[in-house]
Amino acid sequence: MARNATEQTPTDKTLPLLPGWVTRGGAATLEDVAFLSGAALSQLHGLLARPDVPGSLLRDRLGLYAAEACVAWSGRPERAAELRDTLHLLRPGDHPGPAGEIYLRWRRAVAHPLSDAALRRAIPDHAAGHIDGWLSAGQGGPIAQAAAVLEAVLMEFPRDEATALILADTALARALRWRHVVPLLATGIKRQDLRRSGDALRQACHVAVTAATADAIRLAGDLARRVARLEAVAPKLRAKSADQAVALFLSQDAVSASGLKHLMSPRAARRLCDRLVALGAVRELTGRETFRLYGV
């Protein structure tokens, strides 16, 4: 799901964006698109290692976008705002529903370092042996491996795009020696491309990764600037456990005042969130007067 990633503008000073020759498009052959995706991934690889890039927050936000795309493909009406509500307003014992389940899968997939245990928590309805078999389906370069995994899963479960894309992005992360899954294929690929196979699917995956990487780099720059602002105002906060609350904002797409109740009283949590909004350090994401959510 592309999110306005284009060339660098004068306001994008924190992190360098992809050069225009990568993002302009027009490549026609598999060799051409493979070259462009490699160039894009090389830059993202370097940015993910930078200390000023909030990796956990970036992955969590991309996980939301990945879930949004998968939910849309399933024909359900929920979008990012509704998915946030599903997660943060869910009462203990309630079921999150089909859309919420997809979102929870993606959040689990990106939350922890790559491991078999973490992957099984993200995809609990498939046996470990089945998952291992899919992940061993691919050969060749990183995107070729990811495309092969994507095709293998969809051949068996053609309507389970979320599982297929989580595993494809897992295969991509493993091939690139990344410590975490970074949702790229899920945020960049088009639904009709999921019905392709062989070279056609590989080519679509190269194009999708190039577009999604450009979006991820732009998002990383935006989040880095916002995080720098939050870190600058953090010393001004006098609430008890404010540093722990700030740590949540630095790692999660959205935080509710009730989500801070393990750190402070409900009143103190509301005051802290309002203070952060007034300081321009976080945004209120819902536009509501009650049951508000806040994020960097």
Side-chain angles (χ1 to χ4, degrees), residues 18-282:
L18 290 176
W21 58 265
V22 175
T23 59
R24 196 169 290 121
T29 68
L30 182 57
E31 181 182 29
D32 291 337
V33 295
F35 175 77
L36 294 178
S37 66
L41 286 171
S42 177
Q43 183 158 330
L44 179 60
H45 184 85
L47 292 181
L48 291 175
R50 288 177 53 146
D52 55 339
V53 172
S56 296
L57 176 58
L58 175 65
R59 294 191 306 273
D60 204 38
R61 186 69 52 84
L62 289 174
L64 171 66
Y65 296 159
E68 183 181 36
C70 292
V71 168
W73 294 334
S74 72
R76 300 195 61 83
E78 293 91 341
R79 295 299 178 264
E82 290 80 15
L83 293 175
R84 283 182 174 130
D85 282 353
T86 296
L87 178 69
H88 293 282
L89 304 182
L90 195 69
R91 295 179 179 178
D94 286 352
H95 191 276
E101 283 287 356
I102 290 174
Y103 184 25
L104 286 173
R105 284 187 178 195
W106 276 107
R107 290 200 88 220
R108 294 180 189 125
V110 304
H112 302 286
L114 281 166
S115 70
D116 292 341
L119 195 54
R120 286 195 293 272
R121 285 195 295 270
I123 311 174
D125 49 348
H126 291 286
H130 215 168
I131 293 172
D132 292 340
W134 284 327
L135 288 174
S136 64
Q139 296 181 351
I143 294 180
Q145 293 182 43
V149 171
L150 183 61
E151 184 173 356
V153 178
L154 290 176
M155 282 184 64
E156 294 189 52
F157 297 93
R159 297 180 63 86
D160 194 354
E161 293 94 348
T163 293
L165 286 162
I166 288 172
L167 289 174
D169 274 323
T170 296
L172 181 64
R174 286 184 172 181
L176 293 168
R177 302 293 191 270
W178 289 349
R179 294 187 66 244
H180 296 83
V181 173
V182 179
L184 293 176
L185 279 166
T187 60
I189 203 162
K190 298 176 181 177
R191 187 182 186 186
Q192 60 266 30
D193 292 332
L194 297 176
R195 307 306 171 222
R196 300 180 186 273
S197 61
D199 285 349
L201 179 59
R202 282 192 289 276
Q203 183 156 347
C205 287
H206 282 292
V207 173
V209 165
T210 301
T213 298
D215 286 339
I217 289 173
R218 180 175 291 278
L219 177 61
D222 180 56
L223 293 178
R225 290 188 294 274
R226 294 178 181 275
V227 163
R229 173 61 180 167
L230 176 56
E231 290 175 336
V233 305
K236 302 178 182 179
L237 305 174
R238 298 181 179 180
K240 183 180 179 182
S241 301
D243 54 341
Q244 295 171 272
V246 167
L248 290 178
F249 284 105
L250 294 176
S251 62
Q252 296 184 13
D253 163 70
V255 177
S256 65
S258 62
L260 302 176
K261 62 184 180 181
H262 63 293
L263 299 175
M264 57 190 69
S265 69
R267 181 182 179 187
R270 290 192 296 271
R271 291 181 61 183
L272 174 65
C273 291
D274 290 341
R275 174 69 169 153
L276 289 171
V277 171
L279 290 170
V282 303

